[in-house]
């Protein structure tokens, strides 16, 4: 792999050297004070070390980012307004519809209602995974008005799940473009990857993006999309089929960070 860039930055009073792809996504960072390379994806280890070679002096360690310590978790005693855990599937849409209801009479259904139905359907499936050691946070807000529809955290890792209403319609995917029925295509996969990367930065952990289609009658994918996994209704729970990536203590620690609204303010 080539094209990785090294960008210096300060975070929590410490200097970090971020290793990024050309499109700005982070793959690792080097902390000078601890002489540690935190790697988000093991498959890019060699390329990351080549990019950081001019900056590495003496001994250093390399591995996945450390999970929060008990002391860090102790600071996460949350005010109810800052706790995202109680959010319902489609929480942001529910609030928007309550504040600005659709007119009683209109020729076409409010698209927010369709999006809400999709988030509710997919969210219920994800909530059903709790007994297997998974946590799901819904409507995770990101600065600028974006949000993660569902953030799934469990033994198999972390997943950013974006839902798309497509009831009885054909979905066509030509990375990064996605179209539903006769609607014009839009670069949805690019947006999904960007949101997952922002979430990865906030939690300092690898987060894999997923596009979940609600009610699609057919799916046409020209080429396998880069990094984004596409699933239909009956396949949503299979996302959690992977195991052995995170220990239970790590799952709980990451969930505690993710449910705090302040975690997402600077991504």
């Amino acid at each position: 792999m080539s094209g990785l860039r090294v960008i210096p930055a300060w975070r929590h009073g410490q200097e970090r050297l971020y290793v990024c792809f050309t499109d700005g996504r982070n793959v690792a960072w080097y902390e000078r004070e601890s002489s540690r390379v935190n790697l988000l994806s093991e498959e890019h280890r060699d390329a990351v070390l080549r990019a950081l070679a001019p900056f590495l002096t003496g001994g250093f360690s390399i591995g996945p980012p450390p999970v929060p310590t008990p002391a860090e978790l102790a600071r996460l005693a949350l005010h109810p307004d800052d706790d995202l855990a109680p959010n319902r599937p489609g929480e942001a849409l529910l609030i928007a519809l309550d504040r600005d209801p659709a007119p009683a009479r209109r020729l076409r259904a409010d698209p927010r209602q369709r999006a809400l139905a999709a988030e509710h359907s997919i969210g219920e499936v994800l909530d059903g995974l709790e007994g297997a050691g998974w946590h799901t946070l819904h409507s995770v807000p990101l600065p600028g008005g974006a949000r993660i529809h569902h953030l799934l955290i469990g033994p198999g890792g972390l997943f950013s799940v974006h839902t798309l209403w497509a009831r009885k319609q054909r979905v066509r995917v030509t990375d990064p473009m996605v179209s539903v029925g006769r609607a014009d295509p839009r670069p949805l996969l690019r947006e999904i990857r960007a949101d997952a990367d922002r979430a990865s930065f906030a939690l300092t952990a690898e987060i894999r993006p997923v596009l979940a289609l609600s009610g699609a009658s057919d799916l046409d994918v020209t080429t396998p999309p880069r990094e984004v996994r596409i699933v239909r209704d009956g396949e949503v729970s299979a996302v959690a089929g992977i195991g052995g990536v995170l220990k239970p203590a790590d799952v709980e620690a990451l969930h505690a960070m993710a449910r705090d609204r302040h975690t997402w303010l600077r991504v």
Side-chain angles (χ1 to χ4, degrees):
M1 174 180 293
S2 60
L4 292 181
R5 299 182 299 165
V6 178
I7 301 175
W10 287 86
R11 185 172 174 84
H12 303 311
Q14 296 183 9
E15 184 183 12
R16 286 183 175 181
L17 297 176
Y18 284 95
V19 183
C20 307
F21 295 109
T22 53
D23 60 3
R25 292 177 298 121
N26 299 316
V27 66
W29 68 89
Y30 173 59
E31 295 179 347
R32 290 187 182 275
E33 185 172 325
S34 61
S35 297
R36 177 177 174 81
V37 178
N38 294 279
L39 194 63
L40 294 181
S41 179
E42 183 65 29
E43 65 179 293
H44 301 309
R45 173 189 285 257
D46 293 339
V48 166
L49 291 179
R50 286 196 297 271
L52 285 174
F55 308 95
L56 299 175
T57 57
F60 65 92
S61 60
I62 182 170
V67 298
T69 65
E72 291 170 328
L73 291 178
R75 295 198 296 267
L76 295 177
L78 298 179
H79 186 279
D81 291 343
D82 296 325
D83 191 356
L84 301 177
N87 280 7
R88 299 159 292 178
E91 183 76 23
L93 290 171
L94 287 167
I95 294 174
L97 286 166
D98 183 61
R99 292 175 176 173
D100 181 23
R105 296 181 180 180
R106 54 182 299 165
L107 297 177
R108 295 184 179 181
D110 189 328
R112 296 176 298 175
Q113 293 283 4
R114 296 175 176 178
L116 176 60
E119 290 192 42
H120 185 267
S121 174
I122 300 299
E124 279 195 329
V125 176
L126 297 176
D127 284 340
L129 300 173
E130 185 174 356
W134 292 82
H135 295 289
T136 305
L137 296 172
H138 306 290
S139 286
V140 177
L142 300 176
R147 64 187 176 91
I148 296 172
H149 293 177
H150 316 282
L151 181 65
L152 184 63
I153 306 172
L158 296 90
F159 300 88
S160 171
V161 182
H162 184 99
T163 63
L164 181 64
W165 184 89
R167 183 169 176 78
K168 296 182 179 181
Q169 298 188 75
R170 185 178 186 180
V171 178
R172 296 176 177 84
V173 179
T174 303
D175 195 359
M177 310 302 289
V178 176
S179 63
V180 177
R182 297 181 179 179
D184 292 334
R186 64 187 183 98
L188 182 59
L189 298 188
R190 184 182 302 152
E191 299 170 15
I192 293 173
R193 283 191 287 259
D195 289 345
D197 186 52
R198 295 174 73 183
S200 178
F201 180 85
L203 297 179
T204 62
E206 181 181 12
I207 296 180
R208 285 168 280 185
V210 176
L211 173 60
L213 305 176
S214 178
S217 61
D218 192 20
L219 173 61
D220 180 14
V221 181
T222 56
T223 57
R226 178 174 56 86
E227 298 178 356
V228 180
R229 181 174 178 179
I230 301 177
V231 297
R232 298 168 73 171
D233 300 74
E235 305 165 335
V236 173
S237 59
V239 172
I242 305 172
V245 177
L246 294 176
K247 298 177 182 179
D250 298 342
V251 172
E252 296 304 319
L254 287 165
H255 178 242
M257 284 187 65
R259 65 188 293 176
D260 183 1
R261 188 181 300 273
H262 293 95
T263 298
W264 307 98
L265 295 180
R266 300 177 182 176
V267 297

